[in-house]
Amino acid sequence: QQQVKQSPQSLIVQKGGISIINCAYENTAFDYFPWYQQFPGKGPALLIAIRPDVSEKKEGRFTISFNKSAKQFSLHIMDSQPGDSATYFCAASAFGMDSSYKLIFGSGTRLLVRP
Amino acid sequence: EAQVTQNPRYLITVTGKKLTVTCSQNMNHEYMSWYRQDPGLGLRQIYYSMNVEVTDKGDVPEGYKVSRKEKRNFPLILESPSPNQTSLYFCASSSTPSGLGGYEQYFGPGTRLTVT
């Protein structure tokens, strides 16, 4: 059962354009929503994260928009650059009733920014 | 330099031959985790550990074992590998997540495993 659904699977954007990646979740107990960026041959690295008590978070060219009622969140990359070409993963996490903690990832979006 | 290291980075083995992938972190993190990455499936959690001697199953634990005898090390053991365990494996660590929301997980460089 996939608890975090991510789309699109791949995305091609021209330099200077806006890249938008969407995620939807099912578990209303999720309380932390990070986005990870992964370059070929590397491990994922945290890009930006948001908690459900805010609707938007911006860090430089990267913005997370969060819609709690729709259980959706998205990553916007403004003025996309070739160096942004990477795979992006959304994720969600929550503590379980037994104090367990899991981070659930989406399936990933491969972004290519053309010069 | 703060980092998570994994060894080996690449491994080709045969069905049934026990193997261990090591993971070590130098950030004094309590939480460590193993993921496998497969095309179209993203990263799926195999096992995690909240602290020394405390481990628990993730979403895809079948065929794997872990141990956490020391805070810095979290090895992944495949006692009888099968071809469906061919994958890219990542170890990650973080400070203990709290009720205020999760913490950044730091990922290792990955181990590409092929089981023939």
Side-chain angles (χ1 to χ4, degrees), chain A residues 58-71:
Chain A
K58 183 176 181 179
E59 291 184 1
R61 296 184 294 108
F62 300 91
T63 300
I64 298 178
S65 297
F66 187 83
N67 186 329
K68 189 174 182 178
S69 61
K71 293 189 285 185

Side-chain angles (χ1 to χ4, degrees), chain A residues 9 31-32 36 38 41-46 51 89 93 95 98-108, chain B residues 9 31 35 37 40-43 45 48 50 57-59 90 97-100 102-105 107-109:
Chain A
Q9 194 170 16
D31 62 358
Y32 176 69
Y36 280 79
Q38 184 182 29
K42 303 290 187 181
L46 181 67
R51 292 175 54 210
F89 293 97
S93 68
F95 278 94
D98 56 353
S99 297
S100 64
Y101 179 80
K102 295 182 181 180
L103 187 62
I104 309 296
F105 284 86
S107 55
Chain B
R9 293 290 313 278
Y31 186 88
Y35 298 89
Q37 182 176 1
L41 295 177
L43 292 111
Q45 192 173 45
Y48 66 95
M50 299 289 282
K57 296 177 181 179
D59 293 321
F90 288 100
S98 73
L100 298 176
Y103 284 94
E104 175 179 3
Q105 290 205 12
F107 283 79

Side-chain angles (χ1 to χ4, degrees), chain B residues 83-105:
Chain B
N84 65 12
Q85 293 178 298
T86 292
S87 187
L88 180 59
Y89 291 86
F90 288 100
C91 180
S93 72
S94 72
S95 300
T96 301
S98 73
L100 298 176
Y103 284 94
E104 175 179 3
Q105 290 205 12

